[in-house]
Amino acid sequence: MGLAQDRWHKANKDKVKEIQHKRNASEQAKAYRKEYAKKYNQRGDVIAKRQERSKTPEAMEYQRQYKKQDRLNQPHLYRWRGLLSSTISKLKISKDDTTERLIGYSSTILLEHLSSLDENWIEYAIDHKIPITWFKSTAPISVVNDLRNIHLLTHDDNLIKGNRHAHPVCEEYHNVVLEHIIPEYRSS
């Protein structure tokens, strides 16, 4: 709208409303709105069409490439999510909050921790000093995945270690975690 039209609309608000009301009440407007609603407001059809398009081989390849690139750009984010996923799986529990609240720190904090252990941390497996399966299913996920319980191992060493407690944890963490360990593993 031009400046003159703006002024006229402000000065003649009642007249503008009357014109708009007539326009909206006209049979033509009613027919147009009805046709528009029929064509565009069927959300189920729109969603179904989007889902159908997302399953084309081209769309699936695009998504695969996007995820692959994202994993390369943000490996710490995927490792962080992996910590939660493996904990939930091994303790046979369900996710009931956000990843950050459950684990107790952000993916950025994990990145800083891993980088402090080794600048080439991406080449290593993230390992729990006290294995996840040693914890009771009632143990808080944040205790299981406490940074004091996480270290880096080569992939081969991690496979060899298996479900054993092979690396000592600091005394402070040991005291916190003891009540959450299954009794048969407490003496190890």
Side-chain angles (χ1 to χ4, degrees), residues 100 110 114 149:
E100 188 166 347
L110 177 64
L114 297 174
N149 192 35

Side-chain angles (χ1 to χ4, degrees), residues 141-159:
I141 293 172
S142 60
V143 171
V144 176
N145 291 295
D146 190 293
L147 293 174
R148 296 171 290 187
N149 192 35
I150 290 176
H151 68 143
L152 299 171
L153 286 178
T154 65
H155 294 281
D156 289 342
D157 287 346
N158 193 26
L159 288 172

Side-chain angles (χ1 to χ4, degrees), residues 18-139:
E18 184 182 327
I19 292 168
Q20 286 175 338
H21 179 72
K22 284 180 183 175
R23 211 180 274 156
N24 290 339
S26 74
E27 289 302 314
Q28 186 180 9
K30 284 181 184 175
Y32 174 79
R33 284 195 304 276
K34 187 175 181 180
E35 189 61 34
Y36 183 90
K38 192 179 192 181
K39 188 174 181 182
Y40 295 106
N41 287 347
Q42 296 174 349
R43 293 294 297 158
D45 288 348
V46 171
I47 291 169
K49 284 179 185 175
R50 263 192 220 139
Q51 288 173 342
E52 195 175 302
R53 278 194 309 261
S54 72
K55 291 180 182 175
T56 64
E58 296 83 15
M60 291 173 75
E61 178 61 20
Y62 174 81
Q63 290 169 359
R64 194 179 70 72
Q65 290 298 326
Y66 178 84
K67 285 180 182 177
K68 183 179 178 181
Q69 190 60 46
D70 197 43
R71 278 183 166 279
L72 292 172
N73 293 339
Q74 302 183 81
H76 63 287
L77 181 64
Y78 288 87
R79 296 279 185 99
W80 179 64
R81 290 177 181 160
L83 285 173
L84 178 62
S85 178
S86 62
T87 303
I88 286 172
S89 173
K90 289 177 182 175
L91 294 182
K92 296 177 178 70
I93 57 177
S94 59
K95 183 176 179 183
D96 59 1
D97 209 339
T98 65
T99 302
E100 188 166 347
R101 285 192 188 126
L102 289 171
I103 289 187
Y105 49 86
S106 68
S107 62
T108 307
I109 300 292
L110 177 64
L111 174 61
E112 290 170 5
H113 176 69
L114 297 174
S115 296
S116 74
L117 298 174
D118 192 305
E119 64 182 42
N120 293 320
W121 65 268
I122 193 82
E123 305 296 324
Y124 294 90
I126 296 176
D127 181 57
H128 290 79
K129 294 176 183 179
I130 300 173
I132 296 171
T133 55
W134 286 26
F135 288 87
K136 297 175 185 175
S137 63
T138 56

